[in-house]
Amino acid sequence: MNALHGQRTTAVVAPGCPAKPDRLFDRQSEWAALTSFAGDPHPGTDLGVVMGRHRQGKTLLLESLAQATGGFYFCGQQATEAEALRRAGEEYARYRRLARPVRWRGWKECLDALLALGDERPMPIVIDSFPDLVAASPALPSIIHGALRHLDRPPPDNRARLLLGGETAPVMTRLFASSSPLRARTKLILDVQPVDFRGAARLWGLDDPGLALLVYAVVGGTPAYRHDYVNDDVPADRDDFDAWVCRTVLNPRMPLYHEARHLLDEETGPWNRSVLHSVLAALATGRTTHGEIAGFLGQQLTDTSRALAVLRDRGLLRSQPDGLQPGITRHHIADPLLSFEHAVARPRRAALEQSDARTVWEEARPDFDTLVAGPVFAQVCRGWAVSFADWGLGTERVTASHGCLSDPSAKAGLDAEVVVRRTDGLLSGPLVSLGLARRHTGMDTHHLRHLRNILDRLDPRDRVGPVSLTLYGACGFSPELHSAQARGEVMLVDLERLYRGA
């Protein structure tokens, strides 16, 4: 079974596969992919990879898999090769219930012993935090490749299912790039992403879509933040949201207060973090193109490109062609908590230490609404357009991105926050829908005229079929727009539809 990198799929656990443990929230498709891989009865040794950013639950998934299947689990850490081998030998002895730890002279001996566990049945062998082991033992990937090749020789009865886990970072990306020897032997590549906005609402137990959106604009879909990072504190209702922000993300005594900075440190390592913070500050304040970010930093485009590449490689940044001008690439922060940090908290750290959080938040709330919640709402609308909307295209996939057309008659361009296109191979194809997203204001007929104006200016070749004009609003629509929807002139998508409808 092969799960494509970055693609979330609906999967059903095959008969005979262990049920997903209750402690795993959501992750049905990931669990199905892992249990199918681990229990594959076909002879032959297989290699799988589980990647993803910190705090997404990779370790919990892999530990749960090992426990549910009777497999072997070992988690690496920053240590010398000798210490890592010693710890692996101790874990192996505990697993086999041996009287004393095994002492291996190198990783080849260790891997031979671990893979031999699959001689009698399909056996998951999990090596987690794999990049930490590679840092101390650069030859380890080659040793694994050699061990897998050795098991290709007759008799091919071994059914070890070796799973390597690690963060989405240059080490994992390089080791499992399309041209690498290990990639050619990999049967499963699973990228554990944050849960989507609907999943986040369920995770936090929030039935009110408006409150769910506000919480998502702060913490996103990272499962780890739900409990320990906020001491199990959940806002009771929308009226409690402001106080909840002050109790958690703006409270120096809470882990969530420090998390954004720790996250950047963990994901980017020794890279120049002052530059990365400045890039994130530029993005958080609405600068989305390469040139805009370089101007904010006062740097050359080439220097900015390096910083953007670091953030993108670590999964902290999304880059997409503009939906209406494909020659322009737009960049967006992938994690709402990083947006919150750089638009709201970081500029006010000194004030937070000298004043109470409530006073600081009252001053910062307009920036949150404009710079954080508004863009997050637009991203939620794009997520809905890709994952939940029915555009009448059957099984065809779509992409959704921000788009902007130049308008010589106006100071600003003509923007559409949700430009939906069919996918045409690796490129965006014909236009499916044009959409505006407004979180903080109601929508009326001038928003519809705005979309019609954009549509009239597009190249006719962009309009292969009917184009749906769509308005996404969190504060309601005018009676005239409801009448226009009844005539089939526009589609209206409110919070209820975003969170519960298609």
Side-chain angles (χ1 to χ4, degrees):
M1 180 175 181
N2 185 32
L4 297 179
H5 178 88
Q7 179 177 325
R8 294 181 63 85
T9 57
T10 301
V12 178
V13 179
C17 291
K20 183 174 72 71
D22 291 339
R23 64 176 181 157
L24 279 177
F25 174 80
D26 199 31
R27 305 302 186 197
Q28 283 86 356
S29 62
E30 290 90 343
W31 182 254
L34 284 171
T35 53
S36 178
F37 171 82
D40 188 342
H42 293 93
T45 309
D46 288 336
L47 174 65
V49 181
V50 178
M51 296 190 291
R53 284 177 31 224
H54 288 83
R55 318 285 194 269
Q56 304 310 320
K58 300 180 302 299
T59 292
L60 184 58
L61 262 173
L62 292 171
E63 285 181 335
S64 298
L65 177 74
Q67 291 175 7
T69 60
F72 175 82
Y73 176 88
F74 173 68
C75 185
Q77 57 184 218
Q78 294 180 347
T80 64
E81 179 175 299
E83 182 187 356
L85 282 167
R86 183 166 58 250
R87 288 185 56 247
E90 291 167 354
E91 290 296 330
Y92 178 83
R94 274 193 287 271
Y95 179 79
R96 295 290 306 274
R97 299 181 181 178
L98 303 179
R100 61 186 64 185
V102 178
R103 301 299 181 192
W104 289 309
R105 290 172 294 181
W107 281 112
K108 184 180 184 304
E109 287 187 2
C110 172
L111 285 164
D112 287 344
L114 293 179
L115 293 176
L117 295 173
D119 283 345
E120 297 181 0
R121 67 176 180 91
M123 171 67 70
I125 298 155
V126 179
I127 300 179
D128 204 358
S129 295
F130 184 63
D132 287 338
L133 299 178
V134 175
S137 308
L140 181 54
S142 297
I143 295 170
I144 290 176
H145 185 257
L148 294 174
R149 289 187 61 188
H150 171 73
L151 288 171
D152 279 348
R153 303 191 188 103
D157 295 333
N158 182 277
R159 286 173 288 172
R161 307 294 180 238
L162 179 61
L163 277 163
L164 306 178
E167 281 66 43
T168 304
V171 172
M172 296 296 280
T173 303
R174 184 182 69 252
L175 289 176
F176 298 98
S178 57
S179 59
S180 72
L182 281 180
R183 176 60 179 264
R185 307 197 62 85
T186 303
K187 296 294 181 65
L188 172 75
I189 299 180
L190 187 64
D191 191 348
V192 181
Q193 296 284 330
V195 298
D196 63 29
F197 64 97
R198 289 186 174 183
R202 297 193 303 272
L203 173 67
W204 287 82
L206 300 172
D207 294 326
D208 175 3
L211 178 58
L213 178 67
L214 287 170
V215 172
Y216 186 76
V218 177
V219 294
T222 296
Y225 299 158
R226 168 62 180 85
H227 296 290
D228 293 343
Y229 280 75
V230 295
N231 196 26
D232 275 328
D233 189 349
V234 180
D237 50 35
R238 292 194 210 188
D239 292 336
D240 186 41
F241 173 74
D242 292 324
W244 175 81
V245 169
C246 296
R247 296 194 303 265
T248 56
V249 70
L250 295 183
N251 181 355
R253 294 185 296 277
M254 298 294 283
L256 195 62
Y257 175 86
H258 308 280
E259 169 62 9
R261 287 172 291 174
H262 291 167
L263 180 64
L264 195 65
D265 291 348
E266 289 175 340
E267 295 286 0
T268 60
W271 219 84
N272 188 337
R273 284 191 285 272
S274 61
V275 174
L276 299 181
H277 277 296
S278 293
V279 170
L280 291 169
L283 291 163
T285 50
R287 296 161 176 88
T288 62
T289 67
H290 196 159
E292 290 170 344
I293 297 166
F296 180 89
L297 269 63
Q299 290 190 335
Q300 298 294 321
L301 291 177
T302 52
D303 297 328
T304 306
S305 295
R306 297 190 191 99
L308 290 171
V310 168
L311 293 170
R312 187 168 49 247
D313 290 345
R314 273 68 173 182
L316 302 178
L317 185 73
R318 294 192 190 98
S319 300
Q320 275 186 304
D322 184 279
L324 299 175
Q325 298 183 85
I328 297 175
T329 298
R330 295 195 179 275
H331 309 281
H332 303 277
I333 298 175
D335 191 325
L337 185 64
L338 285 176
S339 293
F340 184 94
E341 166 72 15
H342 289 84
V344 174
R346 183 170 172 263
R348 299 172 175 85
R349 287 289 177 192
L352 284 168
E353 294 178 4
Q354 298 170 14
S355 181
D356 64 289
R358 183 173 181 176
T359 301
V360 175
W361 177 241
E362 286 177 355
E363 184 269 332
R365 181 63 194 262
D367 280 351
F368 169 77
D369 288 331
T370 303
L371 300 176
V372 182
V376 167
F377 176 66
Q379 185 58 46
V380 163
C381 295
R382 290 190 284 269
W384 180 86
V386 170
S387 301
F388 302 106
D390 181 3
W391 302 108
L393 301 175
T395 59
E396 282 192 70
R397 294 175 62 84
V398 298
T399 62
S401 59
H402 182 281
C404 181
L405 282 183
S406 299
D407 184 4
S409 65
K411 293 182 179 179
L414 293 169
D415 284 270
E417 287 81 13
V418 190
V419 180
V420 182
R421 292 181 178 275
R422 300 183 193 184
T423 55
D424 185 7
L426 298 176
L427 303 175
S428 294
L431 189 64
V432 174
S433 172
L434 281 175
L436 293 183
R438 298 290 184 268
R439 187 197 76 88
H440 211 47
T441 58
M443 305 186 84
D444 56 31
T445 53
H446 94 269
H447 294 99
L448 181 55
R449 288 195 298 271
H450 180 93
L451 289 179
R452 287 171 175 160
N453 192 14
I454 294 176
L455 193 61
D456 289 342
R457 292 167 181 258
L458 292 178
D459 188 325
R461 290 173 295 182
D462 235 4
R463 301 164 57 178
V464 175
V467 176
S468 171
L469 302 182
T470 311
L471 296 177
Y472 303 82
C475 292
F477 308 95
S478 70
E480 292 82 5
L481 284 178
H482 284 287
S483 297
Q485 178 173 242
R487 295 191 300 269
E489 298 174 10
V490 66
M491 181 168 69
L492 306 180
V493 181
D494 59 10
L495 283 173
E496 185 69 22
R497 193 169 183 180
L498 281 172
Y499 274 86
R500 298 187 177 98

